[in-house]
């Protein structure tokens, strides 16, 4: 790759980041349905053609932003040992969701089903990927067994994602530290071998 292509790639990445950060900032304040492409461009201080150079719609920008957040969380999880990955994935997810609660609720309230499914899929994927490693470290085998580490990881990830969504919709009646404690207790209880 020549230096011109590298400069162009860095510029593209920077522009995409500016766009999704501006979009997420707007999502903290109002509903997804109330945000226009013009609003995003004004917040990011770019022209509409710049946004459309990279994204077909605000939904494509949202999907890109969720991918970026997912990647950032996955990178953070590289620092944890395998036996702590499931709890770490839960904790990082809960911390992120708590910090960006308004934006996430504004996306969910639109009841744009593909977007909600996509968000849950990303959350589920983050927890399942590291849950599988966790359960494997606990001695559960791969698919060769009727109850494999991958099946257990998927099962728990789905339950945890649904639990986190339930917590998010409950409002501020349960704090994030309490939710973390519940999840830790559930996972640790299941881990106990007799």
């Amino acid at each position: 790759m020549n230096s011109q292509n590298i400069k162009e790639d860095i510029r593209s990445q920077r522009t995409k980041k500016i766009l999704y950060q501006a979009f997420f900032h707007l999502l903290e304040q109002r509903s997804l349905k109330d945000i226009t492409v013009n609003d995003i461009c004004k917040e990011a201080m770019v022209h509409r053609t710049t946004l459309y150079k990279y994204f077909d719609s605000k939904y494509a920008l949202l999907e890109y932003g969720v991918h970026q957040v997912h990647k950032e969380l996955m990178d953070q999880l590289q620092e944890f040992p395998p036996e702590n990955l499931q709890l770490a994935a839960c904790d990082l997810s809960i911390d992120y969701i708590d910090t960006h609660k308004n934006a996430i609720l504004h996306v969910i309230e639109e009841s744009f089903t593909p977007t909600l499914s996509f968000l849950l899929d990303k959350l589920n994927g983050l927890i399942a990927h590291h849950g599988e490693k966790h359960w494997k470290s606990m001695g559960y085998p791969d698919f060769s067994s009727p109850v494999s580490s991958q099946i257990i990881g998927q099962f728990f990830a789905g339950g945890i994602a649904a639990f986190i969504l339930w917590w998010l919709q409950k409002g501020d009646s349960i704090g994030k530290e309490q939710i973390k404690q519940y999840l830790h207790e559930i996972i640790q209880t299941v881990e106990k071998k007799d």
Side-chain angles (χ1 to χ4, degrees), residues 73-84:
L73 292 174
M74 291 291 275
D75 289 346
Q76 289 177 35
L77 284 167
Q78 299 304 312
E79 300 171 17
F80 293 90
E83 63 273 7
N84 295 337

Side-chain angles (χ1 to χ4, degrees), residues 18-42:
I18 289 167
L19 286 165
Y20 88 76
Q21 287 177 335
F23 189 25
F24 282 24
H25 182 258
L26 290 170
L27 281 169
E28 292 287 342
Q29 302 163 24
R30 53 189 167 171
S31 175
L32 178 61
K33 68 181 178 203
D34 295 332
I35 298 171
T36 66
V37 168
N38 284 339
D39 294 334
I40 298 165
C41 293
K42 183 178 178 181

Side-chain angles (χ1 to χ4, degrees), residues 92-139:
L92 286 174
S93 297
I94 289 167
D95 287 340
Y96 183 85
I97 289 167
D98 187 62
T99 301
H100 303 284
K101 192 179 287 187
N102 286 341
I104 294 166
L105 285 170
H106 284 143
V107 171
I108 292 171
E109 77 183 19
E110 185 176 323
S111 70
F112 184 70
T113 307
T115 302
L116 179 55
S117 296
F118 177 74
L119 290 172
L120 285 175
D121 183 56
K122 282 295 171 194
L123 176 59
N124 188 51
L126 177 74
I127 296 170
H129 175 74
H130 293 290
E132 179 185 343
K133 288 181 181 180
H134 172 78
W135 291 105
K136 190 178 277 187
S137 77
M138 294 291 296

